[in-house]
Amino acid sequence: MSKLPCPPEHWPRFSRLLDEALQRPEHERDAWIATLPEEDAALVPWLAPVLHTLPAASQTSFLSGPQLHPMAHEAARSAGQHIGPYELLRELGQGGMGEVWLARRIDGAYQREVALKLPHAHLLAGSVRDRFARERDILARLSHEHIARFYDAGLAADGQPYLAIEAIDGEPLTQWADARQLGISARLALFAQVTAAVQHAHAKLVAHRDLKPSNVLVTPQGQVKLLDFGIARLLHGEADDATPLTRAGAHPATPGYAAPEQLAGGPITVATDVYALGVMLFELLCGSTPRGGSLLAQSWQAQAPPELPLASRHASEQHARATGLTLPALRRALQGDLDAIADKALQPAPEARYASVADLAADLARHTHNEPISARRITRWKLAAKWVRRHRLGVGFSAALGVVLLGGGAAVAWQAQRAQAQAQRAEAVKDFLLGVFQASDPRIASDTPRGQITAKALLDQSAGEIEARFANDPEVQIELLRTAAQIYRELGEDAAFERLQARQIALVTQHHGPLHPHVLEAQLDSAVRAQARGDHAACLRLLDAADRALTEAGRNDSALRAAWWTQRSVCLRDRPDAAKEREAALHTALRLFERHAPASRGHVTALMELANEQTHTDRTHEAIATNRQVIALAERSREPNHAELVTLHGNIGLMLQQLGDLAGAEAALAQAAALALRTSGPASRAAWGAAARRARTAHLAGARERADSLFADVMRLLPPESAPDPDAHSVREDRGERLAAEGRPQEGIALLERVERAWRTEPPHDFALRRVRRHLGDAYDRAGRPTDARRLFTLALADFEAHAVAGAQPTIAMRERWGRFLLDQGETDAAAAQFERAARDATTPGWSHVALAQAGLARVALQRGDVEAAEAASRAALSTWQQVSGFRDVRMAPYLWRVRAAVLERSGDAAQAAQLRAQALDASRLYDAPGSPTVTQPRYLGL
């Protein structure tokens, strides 16, 4: 056969030509090939070899009863056996229609492992033959990142047909989600990949007809791959072969997931797949399928379907644990939108379901964004509730005062039973708060349009009246000053907060003494704010004063003392030699919180700080486990702090990213972004920060177009570039670095230069400055500006050597990149020294940058003419990459393959070198921009 397989896009035409050739007498085939029109002549290099490898007596059409050697179909397959150009490695599975083996191509056309489908020879007739041929043609139609790719098909020498598709290393959808304890938002993000794959198939007029978790695998990187189009059919132009499963000769389907009309032999439409998706969604959300398929089939035929179950009612305690929630919390999460969406997808009558998979996906997206869904009618109150969740910051002040107002009303009723004086005081608080709202009352004249009055303006108009209006009631003054101060703090108005907080503490001290809990809490809060300003000395000084006060007040065994220990740990952050002291302080705090305030915010904060300590001491797995413990604790709170939960999910995402689990990282960051979106709206810092980190993770995993779209959405929401905003600078840096990585360095430089200037003028950001200089140097180098690249690389490397640990991953990455630059500039010896040191100094030999350094040494050896050393180094680089641990970018693999190809070519193995270059080019076309040198220059050795 031809060394290269027929490209998938030509398979439908190739298949028709092959069938036509096989219907002709063998002696006429060559002449017939010679008469093919020009548009078919391009297929001759693949067509002729297939015909010449068939047995001489073969008069059969392709895949329709091949002439097998005697008893060939009875012989057991074994590892090492050859099927056409493939060598069998191990059996992946078998069923009534055939076997699936992991195999590799051995004819040099390309180097990849495939899943090789081998139908049983004795079944290759009638509907089974047609189904196998149909799967071949259908797969050739489909090209989508979430559908297993079709590579090749043909006949072995003994007439055994085979179908080679992408080999997926993954777990079934539900199993993958449960194993990683994905929350509801992350599960919906995963399911969105499934709907995207099915939508693509429907756009190509293909219905899958056997959607179920075992046919939806998720790779370790979190990428969904849809498998097994063996019983798929075209939505138009193909006769339906469906028969009820209860009859003899029925076609395969899975009753638990098959639509009622499919089981009953009814017509197949897009609604058939919508139903199966509904079952999968139901199972993904609540842990079980809604009902056996046979019951639904019977009810559909009887036109009297029973009441459909609700996912929220089917949720189990075990599945709640798999989502990281309590059972009540899981049921609350599923009630309403998700129950309604699953219910609509599962309607027995096809016309009652979603009209398309796109409509189902759109409703799930609306739910994620707290927008009204189409699956159910929604009351005005629920519409209002969704609006509030989408615009939480805009109504935050009113909500906070409303809570106080309700509390004041409840206090009136309670205090009235005990003392008339207390009731009058509560009434005064209520009247004052109502007065605040009058500033936005449309019935009262104002110079400011009602829709433009801000929360701060509302508070400013009333806060100044507190002391004058309640001069004779200090308790009311204290409570109102305390409440108003906290609201100012939430609004980010630090000066107003400080002013009201100081006045409140003065009143508390005057009337209740210096050991009142309000005063002690304020002392701890002052230490927190000193630390936030970077004033570690002031933090410790204030803590010493609080220490004495807590002892004098007899509160050494209390939640307040636990908070003191937490802050003690935080105040010692600037002392590298105090790691053990910091962690000991946190464990003391945790013991006190568990005894006195196990459900408090302080307990959550202490656990978060412990996770930070574990992260800083490279105990990432421990840190992830602690953060998950924090999330479970925070979600059990009666009033969970959603902003804190956003941070926690984001922290887990970043840690998983550093471990190389890009799929898990993106799932966690997607959960953080979705939660931030619901909590504070798309324009909030929390929302765009989490979305940006998710975009970078997706880009590292190779999902370039999706990452670019996510980045574009975030970039529109950032504050002005002139604003001294470290979070926004980090987003722009990530975007610039990723643009350069995908082959668009000029666009990246524009962003990175501005960020580099910002980090220089807005200290303290020492690490960020050396990091962005490495990224900017990389972009300059890719853009063909070696002088600028050398300047930035030199500054960054000197900074890393002066301030960072020699064997730490960022330092190793910088050293390897500097070596690559030197090598490209012809400074071979200097480059070799950098590569050798990077590989030697790395504290973890399995890092991706060690693999890059080993590839660099292979290039050095080639330049020196030492092919043997280049061979060893390039093999070592690929071996390291195959077992890589920690940070990775999928774009590193094509670079390693190109280096290996260069070595093979020098060794005389041109065919293998060409194969690896083709493999690298395929990957780069997927991961990089169309104009990138990795796409336009097959021998490109950049990264």
Side-chain angles (χ1 to χ4, degrees):
M1 297 182 72
S2 170
K3 284 196 174 283
L4 291 175
C6 179
E9 62 269 21
H10 296 323
W11 252 101
R13 190 155 50 99
F14 173 82
S15 176
R16 289 192 297 273
L17 290 174
L18 187 56
D19 283 344
E20 186 177 346
L22 291 171
Q23 291 171 4
R24 297 175 178 274
E26 187 175 338
H27 65 276
E28 296 180 5
R29 292 175 186 166
D30 287 341
W32 174 79
I33 288 176
T35 65
L36 288 176
E38 184 178 349
E39 61 268 22
D40 291 332
L43 298 179
V44 171
W46 294 287
L47 188 62
V50 169
L51 293 172
H52 293 156
T53 59
L54 291 174
S58 176
Q59 298 294 327
T60 59
S61 63
F62 185 52
L63 297 179
S64 60
Q67 302 299 307
L68 300 178
H69 296 311
M71 301 300 290
H73 67 273
E74 302 294 340
R77 302 289 180 190
S78 60
Q81 184 177 350
H82 292 179
I83 302 293
Y86 296 95
E87 179 184 6
L88 302 184
L89 300 178
R90 71 173 188 275
E91 186 178 313
L92 298 177
Q94 61 175 287
M97 289 196 300
E99 305 171 3
V100 181
W101 282 76
L102 182 69
R104 66 173 167 228
R105 185 121 185 171
I106 56 174
D107 65 350
Y110 52 74
Q111 184 180 27
R112 72 162 59 94
E113 293 182 346
V114 301
L116 203 66
K117 300 188 71 169
L118 305 172
H120 292 316
H122 63 287
L123 294 179
L124 282 173
S127 64
V128 176
R129 176 202 66 210
D130 295 340
R131 197 170 294 131
F132 190 76
R134 179 171 56 202
E135 182 176 9
R136 173 201 68 203
D137 292 340
I138 282 176
L139 283 172
R141 288 169 170 250
L142 306 177
S143 178
H144 191 272
E145 61 177 330
H146 297 309
I147 296 177
R149 294 177 63 189
F150 166 65
Y151 291 130
D152 191 14
L155 294 171
D158 63 355
Q160 169 67 60
Y162 61 81
L163 186 70
I165 62 175
E166 182 180 3
I168 307 299
D169 176 18
E171 301 172 53
L173 177 73
T174 50
Q175 182 180 322
W176 195 91
D178 290 348
R180 287 155 182 80
Q181 291 189 305
L182 295 190
I184 297 302
S185 296
R187 288 168 186 260
L188 293 178
L190 201 62
F191 191 73
Q193 297 184 42
V194 183
T195 58
V198 180
Q199 284 183 71
H200 174 79
H202 288 182
K204 298 292 184 178
L205 302 181
V206 174
H208 189 284
R209 297 203 295 178
D210 196 22
L211 293 168
K212 55 187 177 183
S214 60
N215 280 343
V216 180
L217 297 188
V218 187
T219 70
Q221 294 75 39
Q223 293 297 301
V224 161
K225 293 290 185 177
L226 181 57
L227 310 176
D228 202 350
F229 281 79
I231 67 168
R233 61 155 296 201
L234 301 182
L235 290 167
H236 301 289
E238 180 184 276
D240 191 10
D241 64 354
T243 56
L245 284 182
T246 54
R247 304 180 201 163
H251 67 273
T254 305
Y257 299 86
E261 68 274 15
Q262 185 178 7
L263 296 168
I268 301 300
T269 67
V270 294
T272 306
D273 283 348
V274 168
Y275 181 90
L277 287 171
V279 178
M280 290 171 61
L281 176 64
F282 191 101
E283 184 175 6
L284 193 62
L285 295 177
C286 75
S288 63
T289 54
R291 181 181 285 113
S294 59
L295 291 177
L296 283 178
Q298 293 167 14
S299 67
W300 185 78
Q301 288 174 299
Q303 298 297 314
E307 182 181 354
L308 291 171
L310 294 178
S312 59
R313 295 178 186 172
H314 268 232
S316 66
E317 187 74 48
Q318 180 181 358
H319 188 69
R321 288 194 296 271
T323 62
L325 298 173
T326 63
L327 182 56
L330 174 60
R331 286 177 170 169
R332 286 196 300 272
L334 300 183
Q335 285 171 356
D337 284 359
L338 294 177
D339 271 343
I341 291 170
D343 180 80
K344 185 175 178 69
L346 289 168
Q347 287 297 309
E351 64 274 11
R353 296 174 208 148
Y354 286 100
S356 68
V357 176
D359 290 340
L360 168 61
D363 247 5
L364 288 169
R366 292 186 192 102
H367 164 76
T368 299
H369 294 91
N370 281 304
E371 297 171 354
I373 63 171
S374 68
R376 62 179 180 141
R377 297 179 63 84
I378 189 165
T379 67
R380 292 183 180 180
W381 282 110
K382 289 179 179 176
L383 279 170
K386 286 178 176 290
W387 186 90
V388 168
R389 286 196 294 272
R390 293 200 306 274
H391 303 86
R392 183 160 181 160
L393 281 181
V395 298
F397 171 68
S398 297
L401 289 184
V403 169
V404 175
L405 177 57
L406 290 174
V412 170
W414 180 65
Q415 294 285 2
Q417 298 175 9
R418 302 187 60 187
Q420 184 65 28
Q422 293 287 348
Q424 291 173 345
R425 182 176 301 150
E427 190 68 25
V429 172
K430 183 182 74 173
D431 289 343
F432 174 78
L433 294 175
L434 287 173
V436 174
F437 284 109
Q438 284 182 344
S440 61
D441 190 335
R443 297 169 299 177
I444 300 174
S446 171
D447 293 334
T448 305
R450 297 304 170 185
Q452 297 177 19
I453 298 178
T454 65
K456 180 179 179 299
L458 286 171
L459 193 57
D460 287 345
Q461 292 181 27
S462 303
E465 303 174 8
I466 292 174
E467 292 188 73
R469 185 167 175 179
F470 300 99
N472 296 324
D473 197 337
E475 295 302 323
V476 173
Q477 286 188 60
I478 290 168
E479 193 60 35
L480 286 175
L481 287 169
R482 182 179 173 85
T483 300
Q486 291 302 318
I487 295 172
Y488 272 125
R489 185 173 192 173
E490 292 298 320
L491 293 173
E493 297 291 333
D494 292 340
F497 164 75
E498 297 274 5
R499 185 178 68 254
L500 293 189
Q501 176 77 337
R503 183 57 190 147
Q504 183 246 148
I505 295 303
L507 282 171
V508 171
T509 304
Q510 177 185 343
H511 292 279
H512 301 288
L515 301 181
H516 189 275
H518 283 11
V519 179
L520 299 176
E521 290 172 8
Q523 287 179 307
L524 292 175
D525 187 68
S526 296
V528 170
R529 285 183 281 110
Q531 172 67 25
R533 295 193 302 269
D535 192 343
H536 307 294
C539 181
L540 290 171
R541 188 171 60 253
L542 289 163
L543 276 184
D544 286 343
D547 179 31
R548 293 190 294 272
L550 286 167
T551 301
E552 187 177 349
R555 292 182 174 271
N556 283 331
D557 188 13
S558 69
L560 273 173
R561 175 57 82 176
W564 183 91
W565 281 112
T566 302
Q567 191 54 35
R568 170 77 179 172
S569 175
V570 173
C571 282
L572 293 172
R573 280 180 183 165
D574 67 320
R575 287 175 43 186
D577 60 336
K580 290 184 179 179
E581 186 179 352
R582 287 195 301 270
E583 193 156 335
L586 289 171
H587 284 297
T588 302
L590 289 169
R591 284 194 296 271
L592 287 170
F593 277 125
E594 286 163 5
R595 186 157 61 243
H596 297 289
S600 67
R601 287 283 309 282
H603 194 185
V604 171
T605 301
L607 274 172
M608 288 179 69
E609 291 299 331
L610 178 60
N612 289 338
E613 281 299 312
Q614 292 164 337
T615 302
H616 295 151
T617 51
D618 294 325
R619 291 176 290 162
T620 309
H621 291 286
E622 290 181 50
I624 290 172
T626 302
N627 268 310
R628 285 180 171 148
Q629 184 183 353
V630 179
I631 289 173
L633 178 62
E635 288 180 338
R636 287 198 300 270
S637 170
R638 287 184 303 174
E639 296 181 0
N641 184 329
H642 292 101
E644 202 164 55
L645 286 169
V646 170
T647 301
L648 289 165
H649 286 294
N651 287 346
I652 290 175
L654 293 177
M655 285 184 280
L656 289 172
Q657 184 188 98
Q658 286 305 113
L659 289 176
D661 183 0
L662 298 179
E666 187 177 354
L669 291 167
Q671 196 163 0
L675 185 58
L677 190 68
R678 294 198 304 271
T679 302
S680 50
S684 70
R685 180 179 306 277
W688 56 252
R693 289 187 286 273
R694 179 191 175 191
R696 182 170 188 265
T697 305
H699 200 278
L700 289 169
R704 180 179 66 85
E705 292 183 356
R706 179 157 53 86
D708 286 352
S709 176
L710 287 168
F711 266 126
D713 291 341
V714 171
M715 297 296 287
R716 289 192 291 268
L717 301 172
L718 297 183
E721 292 181 354
S722 58
D725 192 315
D727 291 337
H729 299 333
S730 294
V731 172
R732 292 187 176 100
E733 180 183 346
D734 284 345
R735 180 56 174 148
E737 184 261 338
R738 291 289 88 199
L739 282 168
E742 70 174 47
R744 297 158 65 186
Q746 295 292 359
E747 296 173 62
I749 287 170
L751 289 168
L752 292 168
E753 286 180 336
R754 291 193 287 270
V755 174
E756 196 265 347
R757 284 195 298 271
W759 290 140
R760 273 192 285 117
T761 57
E762 299 173 20
H765 296 292
D766 296 342
F767 179 80
L769 181 58
R770 54 182 174 265
R771 181 189 62 211
V772 75
R773 282 174 170 168
R774 173 164 68 89
H775 294 159
L776 182 55
D778 176 78
Y780 281 146
D781 189 26
R782 292 172 186 269
R785 296 169 57 177
T787 302
D788 289 327
R790 185 183 293 272
R791 174 174 56 84
L792 268 295
F793 281 146
T794 302
L795 287 171
L797 182 61
D799 205 2
F800 273 105
E801 290 178 332
H803 300 100
V805 177
Q809 188 270 336
T811 309
I812 299 303
M814 178 67 250
R815 196 171 297 284
E816 184 279 328
R817 186 63 184 90
W818 174 235
R820 201 158 9 110
F821 172 81
L822 293 172
L823 186 61
D824 291 340
Q825 299 305 308
E827 300 172 45
T828 307
D829 292 342
Q834 296 300 327
F835 291 139
E836 288 167 355
R837 185 170 174 187
R840 182 183 68 244
D841 288 354
T843 56
T844 300
W847 279 338
S848 57
H849 291 93
V850 173
L852 297 181
Q854 291 166 331
L857 289 171
R859 293 176 61 191
V860 167
L862 280 182
Q863 291 197 13
R864 292 172 173 171
D866 189 345
V867 178
E868 184 177 351
E871 172 77 17
S874 64
R875 281 188 179 275
L878 289 177
S879 177
T880 300
W881 177 255
Q882 288 169 359
Q883 305 172 57
V884 71
S885 60
F887 175 86
R888 72 182 69 198
D889 181 344
V890 295
R891 292 159 188 79
M892 295 172 176
Y895 170 72
L896 300 177
W897 296 335
R898 290 185 178 96
V899 172
R900 178 66 178 160
V903 174
L904 289 170
E905 191 167 53
R906 287 284 291 275
S907 301
D909 193 345
Q912 187 76 356
Q915 170 192 334
L916 273 177
R917 285 201 181 95
Q919 182 175 318
L921 182 59
D922 285 346
S924 294
R925 283 171 173 161
L926 182 63
Y927 304 148
D928 296 337
S932 171
T934 57
V935 175
T936 61
Q937 303 173 30
R939 293 176 179 270
Y940 182 72
L941 279 181
L943 177 58

